[in-house]
């Protein structure tokens, strides 16, 4: 998806605030039409109900609240983001299993194993197959 530097900063800031626990949240997008990339418009922080450095589960109430807000503006949930505070920003087997519940949604992962150099990547996970997709930085 296309995303502004400002929204990337918001996601990385959330990851840093929650560290060493994993953070999680939702990115609302304007859907891409005619093959265009979806464009990120809003970051919604959510609670990691496990408050754990090793796993996350997004608070279902936060998902519903974000969906309601997005629907009113014809926006969609385009991405679920979370952080890996000790490992590379690559989906774990748990992430891959969980992604089965979210077809078509990009998985944005912030890697904070080097806190001074956060890495942020995005993936589509379909039928257990992980494919990295571009996070294109756009000016707003
Ligand atoms: Zn993960």
């Amino acid at each position: 998806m296309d995303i502004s530097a400002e929204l990337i900063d918001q996601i990385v800031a959330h990851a840093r605030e929650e560290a060493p626990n994993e953070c999680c949240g939702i990115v609302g997008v304007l859907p891409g039409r005619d093959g265009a990339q979806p464009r990120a418009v809003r970051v919604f922080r959510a609670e990691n109900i496990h408050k754990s450095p090793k796993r996350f589960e997004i608070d279902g109430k936060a998902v519903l609240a974000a969906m309601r807000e997005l629907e009113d503006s014809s926006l969609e949930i385009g991405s679920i983001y979370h952080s890996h505070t000790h490992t590379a920003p690559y989906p774990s087997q748990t992430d891959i299993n969980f992604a089965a519940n979210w077809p078509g949604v990009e998985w944005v992962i912030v890697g904070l194993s080097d806190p001074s150099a956060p890495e942020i990547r995005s993936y589509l996970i379909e039928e257990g197959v992980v494919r990295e997709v571009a996070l294109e930085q756009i000016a707003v």
Side-chain angles (χ1 to χ4, degrees), residues 61-111:
K61 288 194 294 289
V63 175
L64 287 177
M67 274 178 162
R68 268 197 296 271
E69 264 198 69
L70 291 169
E71 258 171 30
D72 291 342
S73 333
S74 301
L75 302 172
E76 293 176 358
I77 291 183
S79 161
I80 305 266
Y81 72 86
H82 72 289
S83 57
H84 285 180
T85 50
H86 298 97
T87 56
Y90 190 84
S92 65
Q93 188 58 51
T94 311
D95 295 336
I96 292 168
N97 297 344
F98 190 50
N101 303 320
W102 293 93
V105 170
E106 287 187 31
W107 283 69
V108 168
I109 306 180
V110 184

Side-chain angles (χ1 to χ4, degrees), residues 14-123:
H14 188 200
R16 285 190 155 130
E17 282 171 39
E18 292 296 322
N21 290 340
E22 293 191 4
C23 75
C24 60
I26 291 161
V27 182
V29 297
L30 190 63
R33 306 227 186 275
D34 304 322
Q37 295 263 55
R39 182 160 60 88
V41 291
R42 199 159 155 210
V43 168
F44 297 86
R45 291 184 175 203
E47 194 182 333
N48 174 1
I49 61 176
H50 296 300
K51 298 194 192 308
S52 159
K54 296 216 171 102
R55 63 189 186 129
F56 85 99
E57 189 175 332
I58 197 161
D59 175 22
K61 288 194 294 289
V63 175
L64 287 177
M67 274 178 162
R68 268 197 296 271
E69 264 198 69
L70 291 169
E71 258 171 30
D72 291 342
S73 333
S74 301
L75 302 172
E76 293 176 358
I77 291 183
S79 161
I80 305 266
Y81 72 86
H82 72 289
S83 57
H84 285 180
T85 50
H86 298 97
T87 56
Y90 190 84
S92 65
Q93 188 58 51
T94 311
D95 295 336
I96 292 168
N97 297 344
F98 190 50
N101 303 320
W102 293 93
V105 170
E106 287 187 31
W107 283 69
V108 168
I109 306 180
V110 184
L112 280 182
S113 57
D114 176 354
S116 64
E119 258 191 285
I120 180 163
R121 298 185 182 276
S122 188
Y123 306 88

